[in-house]
């Protein structure tokens, strides 16, 4: 039986599944043996819970080469982290440059901020989903303060040029926010080396942690004193004051954290490190190549994106001409036990860029547990659907 319990799970870009057994074990251990609220009480269970949170902070900092574990702020997901990065740093009159391959987790807060006097410039990507760093530089104006970029498309997997844009942002003294929802864990990311000031990551996708985990890494160039939290409340620190603490990470982590999730995330990161990001990536890219070759040979099937394995993640989008994406995905589920995601994938901007708006596409996204046999079975299934409409 395959590790996904009989189904073929190709929806890892939404959330990875299955999770490594050590993730479940760490969460069960925390729940049954520790369970306490970290940083709130002095008893030993609370101290142990605090240790788990700190160890996870250290693991994340080391994994992404953050300047300091205390500059890792935990939240529930990448969306919360992106909201904190944008709303916490931008002020009326500021201009932000972003790309046309952004997820709504970036586009929606930016559109909301526009109503508060923040200007947004969207740099158009190519129909394959690639972004030219020169186009980003050309869009910089005197009032530009930030470049906010998705590291990889969640529709066609195209990698956006983070190191190049990071260098440009640094040259012009702009803040550089990277949405690593689709790359964190699957692709090497070096916050300090790539001149990233704000890295939004999610724990539940390719870091293989549980849902409800994620966060923001805040680089040295972001002045904590100028950062505005998006949620205020108890932190377990400076409890004599009614004002929010003014130091990281506490100022941005009000309320009880998801300790059980963080226990799982720490185990997940250890699991990735033991295997190696490059090792997991080469397995996933092998499967991606196999799937791309197979899909391209099918008719009438259109595969989107640049189809260049060196410039993408393990995410593929396609359509069967004459069959709606939602219908294809439903039939893959019901008739072939294949789990995938159709539609617009929370990113109308990307679908406009690649020419699939408003119909959307069928998306396959691989994870570490998928196999070559699964790819063969999926290609047979898509082939059968394609044959029907030929
Ligand atoms: C590119 C991108 N950014 C952000 C997000 C949001 O991630 P989360 O669900 O962890 O908030 C996603 C989720 O699909 C994504 O693909």
């Amino acid at each position: 039986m395959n590790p996904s319990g009989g189904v073929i799970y190709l929806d890892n870009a939404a959330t990875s599944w299955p999770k490594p057994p050590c993730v479940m074990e760490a969460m069960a251990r925390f729940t049954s043996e520790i369970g306490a609220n970290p940083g709130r009480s002095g008893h030993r269970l609370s101290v142990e819970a605090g240790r788990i949170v700190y160890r996870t902070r250290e693991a994340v900092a080391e994994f992404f080469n953050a300047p300091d574990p205390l500059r890792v702020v935990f939240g529930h997901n990448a969306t919360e982290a992106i909201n904190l990065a944008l709303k916490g740093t931008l002020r009326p009159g500021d201009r932000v440059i972003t790309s046309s391959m952004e997820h709504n987790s970036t586009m929606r807060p930016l559109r909301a901020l526009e109503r508060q006097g923040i200007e947004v410039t969207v740099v158009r990507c190519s129909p394959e989903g690639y972004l030219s760093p020169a186009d980003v530089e050309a869009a910089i104006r005197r009032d530009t303060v930030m470049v906010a970029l998705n590291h990889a498309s969640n529709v066609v997997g195209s990698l956006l040029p983070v190191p190049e844009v990071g260098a440009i942002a640094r040259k012009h003294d702009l803040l550089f926010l990277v949405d690593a929802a689709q790359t964190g864990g699957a692709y090497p990311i070096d916050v300090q080396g790539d001149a990233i000031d704000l890295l939004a990551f999610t724990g539940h996708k390719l870091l293989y942690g549980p849902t409800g985990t994620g966060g923001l890494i805040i680089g040295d160039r972001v002045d904590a004193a100028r950062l505005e939290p998006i949620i205020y409340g108890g932190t377990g620190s400076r409890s004599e004051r009614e004002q929010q603490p003014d130091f990281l990470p506490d100022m941005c982590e009000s309320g009880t954290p998801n300790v059980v999730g963080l226990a799982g995330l720490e185990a997940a990161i250890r699991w990735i490190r033991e295997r190696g990001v490059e090792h997991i990536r080469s397995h996933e890219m092998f499967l991606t190549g196999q799937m791309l070759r197979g899909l391209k040979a099918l008719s009438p099937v259109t595969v989107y994106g640049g189809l260049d394995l060196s410039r993408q993640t393990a995410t593929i989008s396609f359509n069967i001409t004459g069959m709606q994406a939602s219908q294809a995905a439903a039939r893959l589920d019901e008739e072939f036990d294949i789990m995938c995601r159709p539609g617009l994938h929370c990113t109308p901007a990307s679908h406009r860029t690649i020419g699939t708006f408003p119909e959307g596409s069928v998306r396959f996204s691989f994870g570490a547990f998928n196999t070559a046999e699964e790819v063969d079975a999926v290609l047979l299934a898509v082939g059968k659907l394609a044959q029907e409409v030929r």
Side-chain angles (χ1 to χ4, degrees), residues 139-218:
I140 296 173
R141 303 204 335 213
R142 253 202 348 212
D143 54 357
T144 306
V145 298
M146 178 189 278
V147 180
L149 204 62
N150 184 1
H151 193 181
S153 161
N154 63 314
V155 178
V156 290
S158 54
L159 284 159
L160 276 66
V162 160
E164 292 83 350
V165 175
I168 291 168
R170 211 35 82 85
K171 183 169 114 191
H172 293 270
D173 196 25
L174 310 178
L175 288 181
F176 186 34
L177 162 62
V178 175
D179 168 5
Q182 291 297 333
T183 49
Y187 198 81
I189 297 177
D190 181 343
V191 165
Q192 296 183 84
D194 291 338
I196 298 169
D197 297 303
L198 295 150
L199 184 86
F201 66 93
T202 198
H204 67 97
K205 295 186 197 275
L206 300 158
L207 282 174
Y208 292 92
T211 48
T213 58
L216 184 68
I217 295 177
I218 300 175

Side-chain angles (χ1 to χ4, degrees), residues 16-314:
S16 57
W17 191 75
K19 307 294 181 188
C22 62
V23 173
M24 276 83 84
E25 282 155 23
M27 293 170 76
R29 184 180 162 262
F30 173 78
T31 308
S32 60
E33 295 173 22
I34 305 167
N37 199 326
R40 266 54 176 181
S41 319
H43 59 75
R44 81 187 102 115
L45 292 182
S46 170
V47 170
E48 184 54 24
R51 260 194 214 118
I52 289 174
V53 174
Y54 192 74
R55 278 208 313 263
T56 312
R57 229 184 269 294
E58 284 185 316
V60 169
E62 200 180 330
F63 193 77
F64 292 120
N65 192 25
D68 185 339
L70 296 178
R71 286 187 161 261
V72 176
V73 167
F74 286 127
H76 294 103
N77 45 47
T79 304
E80 196 177 308
I82 294 166
N83 271 264
L84 171 60
L86 296 173
K87 295 178 187 167
T89 57
L90 297 172
R91 303 289 176 265
D94 288 347
R95 178 180 298 274
V96 188
I97 294 173
T98 192
S99 86
S100 72
M101 291 300 284
E102 300 303 313
H103 191 272
N104 269 345
S105 54
T106 294
M107 280 301 188
R108 286 183 173 172
L110 282 179
R111 295 304 180 203
L113 284 167
E114 273 183 319
R115 295 201 299 271
Q116 296 170 25
I118 284 143
E119 306 266 351
V120 179
T121 301
V122 179
V123 176
R124 202 166 174 78
C125 297
S126 72
E128 294 80 30
Y130 298 134
L131 174 72
S132 148
D135 290 350
V136 173
E137 189 156 30
I140 296 173
R141 303 204 335 213
R142 253 202 348 212
D143 54 357
T144 306
V145 298
M146 178 189 278
V147 180
L149 204 62
N150 184 1
H151 193 181
S153 161
N154 63 314
V155 178
V156 290
S158 54
L159 284 159
L160 276 66
V162 160
E164 292 83 350
V165 175
I168 291 168
R170 211 35 82 85
K171 183 169 114 191
H172 293 270
D173 196 25
L174 310 178
L175 288 181
F176 186 34
L177 162 62
V178 175
D179 168 5
Q182 291 297 333
T183 49
Y187 198 81
I189 297 177
D190 181 343
V191 165
Q192 296 183 84
D194 291 338
I196 298 169
D197 297 303
L198 295 150
L199 184 86
F201 66 93
T202 198
H204 67 97
K205 295 186 197 275
L206 300 158
L207 282 174
Y208 292 92
T211 48
T213 58
L216 184 68
I217 295 177
I218 300 175
D220 282 333
R221 292 170 75 239
V222 179
D223 182 3
R226 293 203 59 237
L227 189 67
E228 193 64 40
I230 49 175
I231 297 182
Y232 292 76
T235 57
S237 55
R238 300 279 158 86
S239 294
E240 74 286 1
R241 300 182 71 219
E242 291 187 0
Q243 286 75 26
Q244 191 74 357
D246 58 0
F247 54 89
L248 290 168
D250 297 31
M251 60 183 286
C252 295
E253 284 186 356
S254 295
T256 302
N258 176 10
V259 196
V260 61
L262 294 176
L265 181 59
E266 189 208 0
I269 291 175
R270 205 174 329 115
W271 181 86
I272 292 176
R273 291 190 82 108
E274 277 162 20
R275 268 146 200 84
V277 172
E278 288 300 348
H279 178 77
I280 298 174
R281 177 168 160 77
S282 66
H283 171 69
E284 290 176 356
M285 294 323 290
F286 175 79
L287 302 181
T288 306
Q290 185 186 350
M291 182 67 86
L292 283 175
R293 283 190 302 279
L295 285 177
K296 276 196 294 184
L298 293 176
S299 168
V301 170
T302 306
V303 191
Y304 306 104
L307 314 182
D308 175 352
L309 288 185
S310 68
R311 295 181 73 184
Q312 76 167 82
T313 60

